[in-house]
Amino acid sequence: MASNRGLVYMGPGKVEVQSIDFPKLALGNRKCDHGVILKIVSTNICGSDQHMVRGRTTAPRGLVLGHEITGEVIEAGRDVEFIKVGDLVSVPFNIACGRCRNCKERKTGICLNVNPARAGAAYGYVDMGGWVGGQAEYVMVPYADFNLLKFPNKAQAMEKIRDLTCLSDILPTGYHGAVTAGVGTGSIVYVAGAGPVGLACAAACHLLGAACVIVGDLNPERLAQARSFGCETVDVSKSASIAEQIEAIVGQPEVDCAVDCVGFEARGHGSEAQKEVPAAVLNSLMEITRAGGALGIPGLYVTEDPGASDDKAKFGNLSIRLGLGWAKSHYFTTGQCPVMKYNRELMMAILYDKIEIAKAVNVTVITLDEGPQGYKDFDKGAAKKFVIDPHRSFSRN
Ligand SMILES: NC(=O)c1ccc[n+]([C@@H]2O[C@H](COP(=O)([O-])OP(=O)(O)OC[C@H]3O[C@@H](n4cnc5c(N)ncnc54)[C@H](O)[C@@H]3O)[C@@H](O)[C@H]2O)c1
Ligand SMILES: [Zn+2]
Ligand SMILES: [Zn+2]
C-alpha cells in the first residue's frame, strides 16, 4: 500500500513528522464513496492549529494536524460525479455535506451531518468530527462534488499557488470578518491582530474599498508587515489607548467597522500587555466602534480552555462588557467562516490580480520535514504564513 507522512500533535509544544495511514474513502465505519483522495500540493500552518499545539484545547495526542489544503485528485469515489482525477482543487477547511438545512442556507461552517458531537467539522481539529488532517502528503476529502473548488487552469493555478493556497481558510476568513463588520467603500476599519488572519482581513478590506485600514497588534514585526501594504498601525502595548492612537490617525477615536482576528488567547492592552486578558479585544472593539456599527469576530473562542488563567475562562466564560455594545446598538458575527460562500469570487480576484494575498501575509514555503520548526517559529510570532509543500511540487529549485 502507498505510504503517507504527516504532522502529528504529540502533546503541548510537540509536533512530529510521522508515518500515517494512506487515506481510505471512509472514516471509521462511515463510508465515503462521495469522497476523493488528494495528493497535497500545499497545506498551511494556521493560528487555529497553534491553540491546540500550545495545549489550550482538549486535542488528543496523535491527532494528525492540518485543515488548510490544496491538492490534486488522484482517486475519486464511486459517487463522485463532477470532480475528476487530475483536477487541482482548493479544499474549504469546513467539511460540509451539502444536504442539511444549514448547508442549504450556505452556512457550511455549521453543517449538521459531519460531526456527531456538534454542528460543524474540519480536518485535523479537536472536536471537529475526527476527520484526518492534511498537513501530510495525502488526505481524503468527503462530499467532494460539494466541497471542492476546482481551479479553471492548472498551469496558471500552479503559477499563483502561493496566493491560491490562502483560499482554504485565511483569505475567506479575513474577508468574512470584513464583510460581517460591514466594510465597504470608504470605511474606516480597525482590525485587531496582525497574524495571517488579521493581515488577510486587512487585504480584504482594501479589496472591499475601505478608505483606511488600521491594524492593531503588539508584535512590531507583524505591524511592520501590515504597513508594507498600506495599512496604518496601532501598537496595543503602548500606554496610549487604542482609541487615542486611532484618533491620532483619523482625527476621531472611533471607527466604522472592527474585526477581531485575535481570539481567546488575547493579550491585554497598555500595562496589561504582558498577560492574557481573553475579553480584551472584544471589549476594546465595542469601545472604538461607532454607534450602529458592527463587529466581525473570526478570532476563535472555545468552550473549553484547560490552560486558561481563571476558572471561568476554562469553560469559555469571559468578562464581556455587553452593556456597552448594547448601548451602541452593535451587532456582531461569530463562528467559523463558511469558506464556500466566498472562495470562488476570491479565487477570481487572485487570478485577475486584484489582490496580492501571498505578499500581504508573507507566504513562506517550507517542506514537510521543516513543519515542526515552522510551528516553533510561528509560535514565536514570525511575520510569516508558513505553507508546506509536501511533495516539493512548486518550491524545488
Ligand atoms: N473563524 C474562523 O473560521 C477562523 C479561521 C482561521 C483562524 N481563526 C482564528 O483567527 C485567529 C487569528 O489567527 P492567526 O492565524 O492570525 O493567529 P495568530 O496567533 O498568528 O495571530 C494572532 C495575533 O494577535 C495578536 N494579539 C494578541 N493580543 C492582541 C490584542 N489584544 N490586540 C491586537 N492583537 C493581539 C498576536 O500578537 C498575534 O500576532 C485565531 O484565533 C484563529 O484560531 C478563525
Ligand atoms: Zn486555518
Ligand atoms: Zn450539511
Side-chain angles (χ1 to χ4, degrees), residues 44-49 67-68 93 169-170 385:
N44 323 327
I45 299 176
C46 180
S48 299
D49 300 323
H67 58 270
E68 302 193 5
F93 78 85
D169 184 347
I170 58 166
K385 175 70 177 174

PDB file of all heavy atoms in Angstrom, residues 44-49 67-68 93 169-170 385, ligand 2:
ATOM      1  N   ASN A  44      -1.216  24.664   4.799  1.00  0.00           N
ATOM      2  CA  ASN A  44      -0.676  25.776   5.581  1.00  0.00           C
ATOM      3  C   ASN A  44      -0.824  25.561   7.081  1.00  0.00           C
ATOM      4  O   ASN A  44      -1.794  24.959   7.539  1.00  0.00           O
ATOM      5  CB  ASN A  44      -1.401  27.076   5.218  1.00  0.00           C
ATOM      6  CG  ASN A  44      -1.744  27.169   3.742  1.00  0.00           C
ATOM      7  OD1 ASN A  44      -1.005  26.667   2.916  1.00  0.00           O
ATOM      8  ND2 ASN A  44      -2.861  27.794   3.424  1.00  0.00           N
ATOM      9  N   ILE A  45       0.119  26.134   7.825  1.00  0.00           N
ATOM     10  CA  ILE A  45       0.017  26.151   9.289  1.00  0.00           C
ATOM     11  C   ILE A  45      -0.802  27.376   9.679  1.00  0.00           C
ATOM     12  O   ILE A  45      -0.627  28.457   9.130  1.00  0.00           O
ATOM     13  CB  ILE A  45       1.417  26.203   9.934  1.00  0.00           C
ATOM     14  CG1 ILE A  45       2.229  24.958   9.537  1.00  0.00           C
ATOM     15  CG2 ILE A  45       1.304  26.317  11.451  1.00  0.00           C
ATOM     16  CD1 ILE A  45       3.667  24.960  10.047  1.00  0.00           C
ATOM     17  N   CYS A  46      -1.715  27.194  10.645  1.00  0.00           N
ATOM     18  CA  CYS A  46      -2.686  28.245  10.994  1.00  0.00           C
ATOM     19  C   CYS A  46      -2.614  28.563  12.486  1.00  0.00           C
ATOM     20  O   CYS A  46      -2.289  27.692  13.300  1.00  0.00           O
ATOM     21  CB  CYS A  46      -4.083  27.725  10.642  1.00  0.00           C
ATOM     22  SG  CYS A  46      -5.420  28.868  11.010  1.00  0.00           S
ATOM     23  N   GLY A  47      -2.982  29.780  12.825  1.00  0.00           N
ATOM     24  CA  GLY A  47      -3.094  30.163  14.233  1.00  0.00           C
ATOM     25  C   GLY A  47      -4.064  29.258  14.980  1.00  0.00           C
ATOM     26  O   GLY A  47      -3.909  29.021  16.190  1.00  0.00           O
ATOM     27  N   SER A  48      -5.062  28.731  14.275  1.00  0.00           N
ATOM     28  CA  SER A  48      -6.006  27.809  14.921  1.00  0.00           C
ATOM     29  C   SER A  48      -5.286  26.534  15.367  1.00  0.00           C
ATOM     30  O   SER A  48      -5.608  25.961  16.407  1.00  0.00           O
ATOM     31  CB  SER A  48      -7.140  27.444  13.963  1.00  0.00           C
ATOM     32  OG  SER A  48      -7.852  28.592  13.589  1.00  0.00           O
ATOM     33  N   ASP A  49      -4.310  26.077  14.575  1.00  0.00           N
ATOM     34  CA  ASP A  49      -3.517  24.897  14.983  1.00  0.00           C
ATOM     35  C   ASP A  49      -2.730  25.214  16.250  1.00  0.00           C
ATOM     36  O   ASP A  49      -2.548  24.355  17.116  1.00  0.00           O
ATOM     37  CB  ASP A  49      -2.529  24.500  13.873  1.00  0.00           C
ATOM     38  CG  ASP A  49      -3.227  24.148  12.560  1.00  0.00           C
ATOM     39  OD1 ASP A  49      -4.311  23.539  12.613  1.00  0.00           O
ATOM     40  OD2 ASP A  49      -2.681  24.487  11.499  1.00  0.00           O
ATOM     41  N   HIS A  67      -5.756  21.799   8.314  1.00  0.00           N
ATOM     42  CA  HIS A  67      -7.074  21.995   7.709  1.00  0.00           C
ATOM     43  C   HIS A  67      -7.024  22.951   6.512  1.00  0.00           C
ATOM     44  O   HIS A  67      -8.064  23.288   5.965  1.00  0.00           O
ATOM     45  CB  HIS A  67      -8.054  22.522   8.770  1.00  0.00           C
ATOM     46  CG  HIS A  67      -7.597  23.812   9.390  1.00  0.00           C
ATOM     47  ND1 HIS A  67      -6.807  23.850  10.509  1.00  0.00           N
ATOM     48  CD2 HIS A  67      -7.778  25.091   9.028  1.00  0.00           C
ATOM     49  CE1 HIS A  67      -6.526  25.109  10.811  1.00  0.00           C
ATOM     50  NE2 HIS A  67      -7.108  25.885   9.918  1.00  0.00           N
ATOM     51  N   GLU A  68      -5.819  23.392   6.122  1.00  0.00           N
ATOM     52  CA  GLU A  68      -5.731  24.343   5.005  1.00  0.00           C
ATOM     53  C   GLU A  68      -5.061  23.626   3.829  1.00  0.00           C
ATOM     54  O   GLU A  68      -3.841  23.592   3.722  1.00  0.00           O
ATOM     55  CB  GLU A  68      -4.941  25.580   5.439  1.00  0.00           C
ATOM     56  CG  GLU A  68      -5.569  26.255   6.649  1.00  0.00           C
ATOM     57  CD  GLU A  68      -5.014  27.647   6.931  1.00  0.00           C
ATOM     58  OE1 GLU A  68      -4.196  28.157   6.150  1.00  0.00           O
ATOM     59  OE2 GLU A  68      -5.440  28.228   7.953  1.00  0.00           O
ATOM     60  N   PHE A  93     -11.782  24.645   4.583  1.00  0.00           N
ATOM     61  CA  PHE A  93     -11.430  23.908   5.811  1.00  0.00           C
ATOM     62  C   PHE A  93     -12.656  23.344   6.495  1.00  0.00           C
ATOM     63  O   PHE A  93     -12.575  22.346   7.205  1.00  0.00           O
ATOM     64  CB  PHE A  93     -10.615  24.795   6.763  1.00  0.00           C
ATOM     65  CG  PHE A  93     -11.417  25.789   7.558  1.00  0.00           C
ATOM     66  CD1 PHE A  93     -12.024  25.434   8.751  1.00  0.00           C
ATOM     67  CD2 PHE A  93     -11.570  27.092   7.095  1.00  0.00           C
ATOM     68  CE1 PHE A  93     -12.764  26.366   9.486  1.00  0.00           C
ATOM     69  CE2 PHE A  93     -12.301  28.016   7.825  1.00  0.00           C
ATOM     70  CZ  PHE A  93     -12.909  27.657   9.018  1.00  0.00           C
ATOM     71  N   ASP A 169      -8.605  28.875   3.807  1.00  0.00           N
ATOM     72  CA  ASP A 169      -9.002  29.421   5.105  1.00  0.00           C
ATOM     73  C   ASP A 169      -8.796  30.933   5.189  1.00  0.00           C
ATOM     74  O   ASP A 169      -9.760  31.707   5.129  1.00  0.00           O
ATOM     75  CB  ASP A 169      -8.256  28.696   6.245  1.00  0.00           C
ATOM     76  CG  ASP A 169      -8.684  29.156   7.638  1.00  0.00           C
ATOM     77  OD1 ASP A 169      -9.364  30.186   7.758  1.00  0.00           O
ATOM     78  OD2 ASP A 169      -8.326  28.481   8.625  1.00  0.00           O
ATOM     79  N   ILE A 170      -7.537  31.392   5.326  1.00  0.00           N
ATOM     80  CA  ILE A 170      -7.334  32.760   5.834  1.00  0.00           C
ATOM     81  C   ILE A 170      -7.920  33.867   4.968  1.00  0.00           C
ATOM     82  O   ILE A 170      -8.414  34.855   5.507  1.00  0.00           O
ATOM     83  CB  ILE A 170      -5.858  33.077   6.158  1.00  0.00           C
ATOM     84  CG1 ILE A 170      -4.956  32.891   4.940  1.00  0.00           C
ATOM     85  CG2 ILE A 170      -5.385  32.261   7.330  1.00  0.00           C
ATOM     86  CD1 ILE A 170      -3.580  33.521   5.142  1.00  0.00           C
ATOM     87  N   LYS A 385       3.416  33.510   6.932  1.00  0.00           N
ATOM     88  CA  LYS A 385       2.407  32.452   6.817  1.00  0.00           C
ATOM     89  C   LYS A 385       3.137  31.239   6.257  1.00  0.00           C
ATOM     90  O   LYS A 385       3.558  31.253   5.094  1.00  0.00           O
ATOM     91  CB  LYS A 385       1.280  32.899   5.875  1.00  0.00           C
ATOM     92  CG  LYS A 385       0.237  31.817   5.583  1.00  0.00           C
ATOM     93  CD  LYS A 385      -0.637  31.495   6.785  1.00  0.00           C
ATOM     94  CE  LYS A 385      -1.720  30.471   6.446  1.00  0.00           C
ATOM     95  NZ  LYS A 385      -2.480  30.044   7.635  1.00  0.00           N
TER      96      LYS A 385
HETATM   97 ZN    ZN B   2      -6.747  27.815   9.435  1.00  0.00          ZN
END
